[in-house]
Amino acid sequence: MKIPYNLKPANLHRNASPAELYKLAILTEKDSELSDKGALIAYSGSKTGRSPKDKRVVKSPESEADVWWGDVNIPMDSPQFEVNKERALDYLGIQDTLYVLDAFAGWDTEHRLKVRVICSRPYHALFMHNMLISPTAEELENFGEPDFTIINAGKFPANGHTVGMSSKTSIDLNIEAKEMVILGTEYAGEMKKGVFTIMNYLMPKRGVLSMHCSCNVGDEHDVSLFFGLSGTGKTTLSADGQRHLIGDDEHGWNDEGVFNIEGGCYAKCIDLSATKEPEIFNAIRYGSV
């Protein structure tokens, strides 16, 4: 593949397998290790959750009227975005090893997005390998240009003197450029939510209702949706042993039915019980993070 943004790492890993990413994480990151169940344990530095006050959306004439501006969608100017993007690419440009993941968001092939993730940590690549939908060998060969790109330089801070920055963390979305830039946070969930954000913008324009919910289906094709804020039990409710899981967090609903946006699940593991939540408990094994 043509390396994006003129990056020239000595080692480029595109759509590396979980086994390869495990090996690279353990060999190159001192804090990465295996759990007793075979999952990869990785650390996200000082940020162990999302940073909502550090998120920005470029305010552009093309999309301005369709964004609900406020404390959640905080506006930024295009020049500020370009400063952060250049800073992120400068950081990635001096790394010996980079990871590129090309995959899909959305199981409905009519509405799915081609997503490209560029990052410097194998843990980030593995996380998104799980959260996105993996292409077949043929789809990867013919992937072409992505519909949305995440430039993750989270190990490098934003410049606090850049206009509009509230801290050394900045997660910036440019809808028109179809790009997201991450600085100053290694929390992988920012990438997951970044994909959901762009899907929330695009899907209603296509007649698809994007939903923050979990979803499962019974043997009679009876679909259940579970809505709620993060941490209120959506994943637990969807992992019903008597029903078939569709997804645990992000879905689209159109005239044809309901489809999962993601390829994997993102469950909280604190105080997890093998008795009360066996499906989630048993999913913490080789291949998971």
Side-chain angles (χ1 to χ4, degrees):
M1 67 169 289
K2 180 181 178 181
I3 301 177
Y5 300 105
N6 201 32
L7 296 169
K8 299 176 181 178
N11 303 292
L12 178 69
H13 300 274
R14 184 193 187 202
N15 285 56
S17 67
E20 186 177 3
L21 294 171
Y22 263 54
K23 180 181 72 173
L24 290 164
I26 293 168
L27 289 176
T28 63
E29 300 189 333
K30 60 184 175 112
D31 292 330
S32 292
E33 57 184 304
L34 291 182
S35 76
D36 59 345
K37 302 295 184 182
L40 178 68
I41 299 174
Y43 291 85
S44 60
S46 61
K47 299 287 185 176
T48 57
R50 297 194 299 275
S51 303
K53 298 299 182 183
D54 296 314
K55 293 186 177 181
R56 301 289 185 271
V57 180
V58 174
K59 197 167 189 177
S60 174
E62 292 89 340
S63 57
E64 179 178 354
D66 296 324
V67 176
W68 190 349
W69 303 103
D71 292 339
V72 175
N73 296 314
I74 303 170
M76 76 182 308
D77 293 332
S78 181
Q80 297 166 5
F81 177 86
E82 291 301 323
V83 167
N84 284 348
K85 176 181 169 181
E86 183 176 4
R87 187 172 177 85
L89 291 174
D90 284 347
Y91 171 78
L92 294 175
I94 61 171
Q95 304 306 307
D96 289 334
T97 302
L98 291 180
Y99 303 87
V100 172
L101 176 73
D102 287 337
F104 300 111
W107 281 97
D108 187 324
T109 56
E110 182 180 351
H111 299 295
R112 71 183 183 184
L113 293 187
K114 296 188 294 183
V115 177
R116 173 166 291 162
V117 179
I118 306 169
C119 55
S120 62
R121 291 195 63 182
Y123 136 65
H124 287 152
L126 180 61
F127 178 90
M128 292 304 281
H129 168 86
N130 286 345
M131 296 314 305
L132 293 173
I133 300 162
S134 296
T136 64
E138 182 180 358
E139 287 172 335
L140 184 59
E141 178 70 23
N142 300 309
F143 196 81
E145 291 301 311
D147 300 312
F148 183 61
T149 300
I150 298 173
I151 304 168
N152 188 341
K155 292 188 75 171
F156 196 58
N159 188 329
H161 296 291
T162 303
V163 176
M165 296 301 99
S166 52
S167 74
K168 291 185 177 181
T169 297
S170 193
I171 305 103
D172 308 322
L173 172 63
N174 189 326
I175 295 172
E176 280 66 38
K178 303 175 183 178
E179 294 173 327
M180 182 181 186
V181 171
I182 299 175
L183 289 166
T185 173
E186 297 172 68
Y187 178 69
E190 296 291 7
M191 295 182 289
K192 163 188 161 67
K193 287 301 183 184
V195 172
F196 193 34
T197 299
I198 196 68
M199 291 293 277
N200 281 333
Y201 177 83
L202 293 174
M203 289 302 101
K205 293 177 176 290
R206 302 182 182 181
V208 178
L209 175 65
S210 56
M211 303 177 293
H212 182 208
C213 67
S214 66
C215 182
N216 61 26
V217 61
D219 291 333
E220 301 300 321
H221 302 289
D222 51 312
V223 174
S224 295
L225 303 174
F226 303 93
F227 291 89
L229 298 175
S230 295
T232 55
K234 295 188 300 300
T235 299
T236 301
L237 289 170
S238 65
D240 185 332
Q242 304 303 312
R243 295 172 65 82
H244 306 286
L245 176 68
I246 295 178
D248 81 317
D249 197 51
E250 303 172 6
H251 294 85
W253 186 357
N254 60 14
D255 292 340
E256 303 301 317
V258 175
F259 63 90
N260 191 2
I261 290 173
E262 299 183 306
C265 291
Y266 187 33
K268 292 177 173 62
C269 298
I270 292 178
D271 299 325
L272 198 60
S273 167
T275 303
K276 294 181 179 179
E277 299 167 292
E279 289 82 7
I280 300 172
F281 187 90
N282 292 326
I284 302 174
R285 56 178 188 251
Y286 173 76
S288 62
V289 184

